[in-house]
Amino acid sequence: MTTHPFPSVPGIAYGADYNPEQWPEEVWAEDMRLMREAGVNIVNVGIFSWALLEPSEGTYDFSRMDRILGLLHDNGIAADLATPTAAPPAWFYRAHPEALPVDKDGRRLSYGSRQTFCPSSHSYREAALRITGALAERYADHPAVAMWHIHNEYGCHTNACYCDTSAAAFRAWLRTKYADDLAALNDAWGTTFWSQWYYDWDEILPPRATAAGPNPSNLLDWRRFCSDELLSLYKAERDVVREATPVTPVTTNFMAITDALDYWRWAPELDVVSNDHYAMSTDPEAEIEIALSSDLMRSLAGGPWFLMEHSTGAVNWQTVNRAKKSGELRRNALAHVAHGADGIAFFQWRASKAGAEQWHSAMVPHAGTDSQIWRDVVRLGADLKALAEVRGSTGTAEVAITWDWNARWALEFPAQPNSQLRYVDLVRAWYEPLWRAGVAVDFVRPDADLSPYRLVLVPGLYLVDDEGAANLAGFAERGGTLAVGFHSGAVDRNCHVRLGGYPGAFREALGISSDEHFPLQPGDTVALRGGGTSSLWSERVRLEGAEAVTWYTDGPLTDVPAVTRNTYGEGTAWYLATHPDPATLTSCLTALCTEAGVEPVRTAPEGVEVVRRRSPSADYLFLIDHGGHGAAVPVAEDAVELLTGKATPGSVTLAPGEIAVVRQPRHG
Ligand code: GAL
């Protein structure tokens, strides 16, 4: 049994970003009382405290932080202590104006907000490591500190800088990658095109604004570099902390499904994978996106993870800053637990009265404790306490969906055959029918060990390297069911087209070949045999061993296969050469699950999300009624509902909008 990533916080951790420096100290005592009332057992402190902790370069004032940590400890509340490096103070920028980032158009940004720094700036790195070192030295052995929180949301607001220092850092990164071989870079970037050949490393620039379109291979390395450059800052701070306190776990908060960073490269560097998730109020089924990003986090973590931030209600950076509907706070929070979170926290504890986020919700709202939010917060604390035994249990997916930031970046570069393609939309379209059917999903890298899965889905994997392509094809060959989405495998690791027919990397496994793409105009559809339609994409597929599952019945590709199925080795490989409407896609995925022998966790009444976590001794069935109709769901005879503590032999009844978490012992 592997150890838990944050061993010293018991049960399901519960808390928030805690920013007491925004309040007079009289308020702190009330904070402690209310935290105890709500069952809060960990808070994230000091995230934006740099200006107060280091009033001038090299001069520290830890008195306030000493008092905060002391108070937390006296009240039995753990601290996830942050390094405050996401918001350098004004004095730093006045001394080091070169640390301000420069955008693509050559404008240097100003300070006065947060997260405004050049990731390659030497002065920023030095200052960040200095304050990190001072904090680590002072609080290494503090009994309140259960976890270290490096920085805040790397890549948020600024994930790239185009200044000369960044240019030099980019060149250094390239020289390492290409082993000082400029000819290899010219080859990888295809620089014979448009006279871009480089004779000297110093000629290479970040992809600043130019008159015509950028070079995609150059852009791809730039995105990789930007992710790695921030990762190197994270690692530098983490190492300073680890040196002072080797056993305390270290995290930094991810930003859900952001495209800023390649989290597959980041996750192994974290002791605790943690995520910030804000449901979009424009999404009528935000619960699907919550499930998707939570599954991604569980997959990145390879086990339990920590929801470091979400909201109790209004999110000030969204266009309409709406409140959560009745029961939504609870459904959202427990959905994260269902998908593997062992810690649930909010931004933030007490709603600010001043500052850029004064209209953001919090656990203690502006109205105080005589409020719906506070009542919900207290109830959630009790729920999480009742779920303590779920801690450490894991997912049970037999279906994997590939997720790859390189493919995502490249798919969304300019000048694609269809510039409407959005990676997350393609993945979500395939994920949705599985979510509705209660089929558990993991996300995997293309080169992951696929042996735990029966079905592997590959939507939108435009770019795949040779190892990833071989791994996916090998999965089918060894008996798995593989389904590849259109335009996947089109380019190699350098973003070069794979020649000889589309989709290059998977042609052989799929038993087909296409000679031309026929992308669709916005809003256009083509008819499919069987009554469905499809949009976005079509291509002239020729069967080379595969059979047609369905084909177009109108348009320029009438009678051409739109979905194909090939027997490949011991398994099968399907190709969805178009973007079917939701009902048709659901039928395809149902057929794929049946072929692969994948069962839903349990057939869910419509509107009820069903998720399973498993421990050695029990299955925990989370039933969440998003539809608001209520339901009776069959469960085992020896089942117990944990939120009420009641035995529910044979069936559990969900009131509209409610949640049940059912323990079903595993026998034998
Ligand atoms: C996050 C950030 C928090 C807060 C929150 C508001 O991106 O980490 O500090 O700004 O958004 O939604």
Side-chain angles (χ1 to χ4, degrees), residues 17 19 47-48 114-115 149 152-153 156-157 253-255 276-278 309-311 314-318 347-348 357 360-361:
D17 281 13
N19 300 307
I47 296 179
F48 296 109
R114 69 171 175 183
Q115 259 138 335
H149 181 298
N152 188 66
E153 293 191 341
C156 182
H157 307 298
N253 41 346
F254 286 172
M255 297 179 288
D276 295 353
H277 185 276
Y278 291 93
E309 293 180 23
H310 72 316
S311 79
V315 177
N316 69 307
W317 47 263
Q318 297 191 11
F347 176 83
Q348 59 178 331
E357 300 189 311
H360 200 288
S361 58

Side-chain angles (χ1 to χ4, degrees), residues 144-161:
V145 179
M147 187 151 76
W148 283 82
H149 181 298
I150 304 294
H151 196 86
N152 188 66
E153 293 191 341
Y154 278 100
C156 182
H157 307 298
T158 311
N159 80 318
C161 168

